[in-house]
Amino acid sequence: MTSPARLPTNAPFPPDAIAALNRVIEHTSPTQRSWLAGFLAGYEAASGTPATAPAVASVVRPALTILFATESGNSEALARKASKDASRLGFAPRVLDAADATPADLARTERLLVIAATWGEGEAPARATDFMAALMADAATRMDKVNYAVLALGDRAYAQFCATGHAIDERLAALGGHRAAPLLECDLDYDAPAATWLGTTLPALRGKEAEPAPSVIHVDFGAVGGEAREWSKSNPFEAEITDLVNLNSSRSAKQTVHVELSLAGSGLTYLPGDAIGVAPENDSAVVEAVLDAAGLAGDTALHAALVSKHDVTTLSGHVVRSFAELTGDPSIKDLAGDPERLADFLPGRHVVDLLTAFPNKLTPAQLTGLLRPLPPRLYSVASSQAMVGEEAHLLVSAVRYQAHGRDRVGVASTHIADRRRVGDRLGIHVKANPHFRLPSDPATPIVMIGPGTGVAPFRAFMQERDAAGLAGKSWLFFGDQRYTHDFLYQLEWQDLIERGVLGRIDVAFSRDQDAKIYVQNRMWEARRDLHRWIEDGATLYVCGDQTRMARDVHTALRDIIADGAGIAADAAEERLAAMKKQGRYLLDVY
Ligand code: NDP
């Protein structure tokens, strides 16, 4: 066996370094040398220093564009993971945000991977709306050269499951693109199916004639530093609850709890704007009702599994279809096969309602097969680590309502508000939200609109500025039902105002008078000032209820801009769209 080549004496190192390197290289295996090659090839890029000469002989790597359309960051994170997988397979990947992409740009690429989220009732992510409009336009560029595959993220709780991914997949085919792999639909537990799909789709996109993977092992520089990266959705950190207090008064109609979690020993870090994912447990009474309706009452092992692992509430068309299939019950088949009846039946109903309406005795395996894994719930973090160190604070509104004659509760919110105490633990992970950050220049004015629990990230923003001693221009619009009972963090805002950290606060208490007053009414009253702030370059943040509040606040902003600038509503709408693109109008809504 020949020993590996030694470094020549004229290598650009001092003699003792050449001897040391030779000692290391002599005892390496081929795999270790491939790893080192990958490490050195990526070293300059990872350290930010421009390389003066190529680190390894250049190899032709097939280009791959990975386009993502993201709302909450999942598609973006998955695109970055796909990029690492693709590098390992010898591609030269480029990750592209749909916010910055045009169809003409995509038409030039030969290999395209699309990872697209669907938001709410079948909508494309807000950042991707311009791209979607251009792709769907009659004048869209042909894609004859493009081999593509689409991974669609969605939530089966919504009828238009994965609609954005399907729309892109079908449109690329209609424009002449070649589908290299069938579209994959993913529910909230997308990690494992996405990894399997990428494992077969990336080689399919490489094609036969492309170069084989070079003998360089891709090195993940993010992991080289040994950072604490092990806590995740599937492996949550069990954080101790160190404080849990209801911020509403005893006479309030609401219960909004402030929760403090200890991150000690976890190495977890977050930034203001990020969210904390909480692994909830189901209410035992709800689980009992489901077991009872499935003819499985008294199965304690199954009860325990359903409490912590399965989504026993969300009812979707998919669940109804699966139930029809496994029971063969003709009346359920009728419902499952009739989209109109299904659209009438689903709203407000849970799994227990289906099982009660169509009584069928199930086996434990049939019942668990019907239910998806219990997904974590995301809460915008209400603290800054610059202020609270190894803690994370959350603001959680307990959800309780009646529907179809039953009391309903929010899974995670009542798990925290009703069934957790100080000293208990809560499984958590950090979910970065890079598109909801304080401006990089602290002198940029900020306007924060956050009624109810929407105020959470703004407490984090203010703590961050307070800790750094920054008092840039800031303005908070807060609203809730009653001044006396529901003014969340009232004393903290007053203190921040007194110390000049928060510049201005306008409040709207909706139920202190006969006619409702909402944050957008206060915004309209202050429209001259607000318009001046916008003209001065302020960044606008909106957090909270998506369907009503965020929509109405958007209309108010449009009217304020139209009024202030003396332009038509359409033109004001365009200005807001431009601000969104520039990252000056940011939403964190749910
Ligand atoms: P709400 O958004 O329910 O209420 C806050 C204030 O906004 C109230 O004064 C309310 O008035 C008012 N409001 C109602 N409609 C509008 C509107 N169209 N425009 C402006 N303001 C309006 O507060 P919460 O944050 O407590 O609840 C928000 C929703 O989000 C709830 O359904 C909650 O369950 C859910 N949720 C909460 C999470 C959390 O706790 N972090 C996470 C995920 C979801 P009024 O009620 O008098 O009409």
Side-chain angles (χ1 to χ4, degrees):
M1 193 177 80
T2 52
S3 63
R6 297 172 65 86
L7 282 177
T9 50
N10 64 351
F13 296 96
D16 56 339
I18 290 178
L21 285 167
N22 277 329
R23 272 199 304 282
V24 172
I25 293 168
E26 267 169 9
H27 300 290
T28 51
S29 66
T31 305
Q32 287 169 327
R33 287 192 292 278
S34 294
W35 188 93
L36 264 181
F39 178 84
L40 294 174
Y43 184 81
E44 298 301 341
S47 64
T49 319
T52 50
V56 285
S58 66
V59 185
V60 180
R61 293 155 68 87
L64 171 72
T65 298
I66 304 175
L67 178 83
F68 67 85
T70 203
E71 185 72 46
S72 69
N74 290 338
S75 302
E76 182 170 0
L78 206 48
R80 306 221 175 271
K81 183 193 172 297
S83 170
K84 283 183 187 164
D85 292 355
S87 283
R88 242 175 252 130
L89 286 168
F91 285 101
R94 166 180 75 135
V95 176
L96 183 62
D97 187 343
D100 307 318
T102 63
D105 187 6
L106 298 188
R108 285 190 287 273
T109 165
E110 285 180 38
R111 294 167 209 86
L112 172 67
L113 186 73
V114 179
I115 302 180
T118 298
W119 186 242
E121 302 294 338
E123 290 142 44
R127 297 163 52 73
T129 44
D130 286 358
F131 169 79
M132 289 300 285
L135 185 68
M136 298 302 156
D138 291 345
T141 325
R142 299 253 340 142
M143 300 281 168
D144 298 305
K145 248 176 56 176
V146 183
N147 295 291
Y148 73 92
V150 178
L151 192 159
L153 294 185
D155 180 343
R156 279 204 196 275
Y158 294 92
Q160 301 298 318
F161 180 55
C162 290
T164 307
H166 279 291
I168 294 175
D169 185 61
E170 282 155 28
R171 186 63 179 151
L172 288 173
L175 291 170
H178 309 283
R179 194 182 281 118
L183 173 143
L184 178 74
E185 290 183 338
C186 286
D187 199 359
L188 300 179
D189 55 330
Y190 57 81
D191 287 329
T196 308
W197 184 84
L198 284 172
T200 54
T201 301
L202 287 172
L205 276 168
R206 196 171 57 208
K208 288 181 205 71
E209 71 285 8
E211 290 285 321
S215 61
V216 172
I217 292 178
H218 171 84
V219 176
D220 178 359
F221 276 76
V224 167
E227 292 160 25
R229 316 185 110 216
E230 70 266 39
W231 306 118
S232 64
K233 218 170 21 172
S234 51
N235 181 32
F237 172 68
E238 292 294 324
E240 185 184 342
I241 298 174
T242 53
D243 200 6
L244 196 156
V245 54
N246 179 10
L247 298 186
N248 302 106
S249 88
S250 57
R251 287 172 50 207
S252 169
K254 303 178 78 174
Q255 184 190 4
T256 316
V257 294
H258 168 80
V259 188
E260 297 191 358
L261 300 167
S262 167
L263 305 183
S266 69
L268 282 173
T269 57
Y270 61 85
L271 289 171
D274 286 346
I276 298 286
V278 171
E281 286 189 0
N282 289 303
D283 184 358
S284 179
V286 173
V287 169
E288 257 166 53
V290 168
L291 285 175
D292 203 28
L296 289 162
D299 186 333
T300 48
L302 187 57
H303 185 281
L306 292 195
V307 163
S308 60
K309 291 198 178 68
H310 298 274
D311 184 344
V312 297
T313 45
T314 307
L315 183 63
S316 62
H318 179 73
V319 173
V320 178
R321 284 187 289 276
S322 308
F323 189 43
E325 214 165 284
L326 77 90
T327 57
D329 183 330
S331 52
I332 310 173
K333 279 190 172 165
D334 284 351
L335 173 65
D338 183 340
E340 264 183 39
R341 265 188 72 204
L342 203 53
D344 273 351
F345 182 80
L346 292 176
R349 287 198 164 84
H350 287 172
V351 168
V352 69
D353 302 302
L354 177 72
L355 300 180
T356 314
F358 303 96
N360 273 277
K361 191 167 166 27
L362 302 182
T363 66
Q366 283 177 325
L367 178 59
T368 51
L370 206 56
L371 308 172
R372 66 178 182 177
L374 185 54
R377 304 300 199 271
L378 296 173
Y379 293 95
S380 308
V381 71
S383 53
S384 155
Q385 286 197 281
M387 183 67 83
V388 304
E390 283 188 309
E391 287 179 11
H393 300 180
L394 307 181
L395 184 63
V396 178
S397 165
V399 176
R400 300 174 221 282
Y401 57 98
Q402 274 249 334
H404 300 288
R406 276 179 203 271
D407 288 332
R408 316 281 175 166
V409 295
V411 175
S413 64
T414 59
H415 173 62
I416 296 168
D418 295 351
R419 304 191 288 280
R420 296 290 92 180
R421 297 280 172 273
V422 170
D424 288 347
R425 296 198 175 255
L426 207 52
I428 62 160
H429 70 278
V430 172
K431 172 88 190 321
N433 188 1
H435 303 297
F436 201 81
R437 292 270 185 261
L438 275 164
S440 49
D441 179 359
T444 305
I446 56 174
V447 177
M448 302 167 282
I449 302 153
T453 51
V455 84
F458 306 134
R459 181 173 183 265
F461 281 6
M462 287 297 98
Q463 284 193 352
E464 180 88 355
R465 287 200 160 180
D466 196 7
L470 300 169
K473 278 182 81 179
S474 55
W475 186 351
L476 174 68
F477 286 91
F478 172 73
D480 218 315
Q481 292 181 358
R482 294 177 189 279
Y483 175 90
T484 320
H485 307 298
D486 307 310
F487 197 163
L488 309 177
Y489 300 120
Q490 176 182 8
L491 297 180
E492 292 190 21
W493 304 127
Q494 283 169 347
D495 174 57
L496 287 165
I497 288 272
E498 270 163 30
R499 292 189 295 109
V501 180
L502 175 60
R504 175 169 175 178
I505 182 168
D506 284 29
V507 291
F509 289 97
S510 52
R511 303 193 190 184
D512 275 345
Q513 59 288 307
D514 290 339
K516 295 264 177 161
I517 296 178
Y518 289 152
V519 281
Q520 58 272 26
N521 300 109
R522 297 299 185 216
M523 290 163 62
W524 179 251
E525 285 162 19
R527 62 189 174 281
R528 296 237 154 73
D529 288 350
L530 194 47
H531 186 251
R532 202 168 314 118
W533 280 53
I534 294 171
E535 292 285 286
D536 289 347
T539 298
L540 310 181
Y541 298 86
V542 181
C543 182
D545 173 75
Q546 177 186 23
T547 40
R548 296 158 301 140
M549 183 277 293
R551 194 199 53 207
D552 295 346
V553 162
H554 179 90
T555 307
L557 284 169
R558 184 200 66 194
D559 294 346
I560 288 164
I561 291 173
D563 178 77
I567 56 177
D570 284 0
E573 194 67 65
E574 278 170 24
R575 284 203 190 171
L576 277 172
M579 285 179 70
K580 242 184 206 172
K581 278 210 109 165
Q582 295 155 4
R584 283 185 53 210
Y585 174 25
L586 303 171
L587 305 178
D588 176 8
V589 293
Y590 35 84

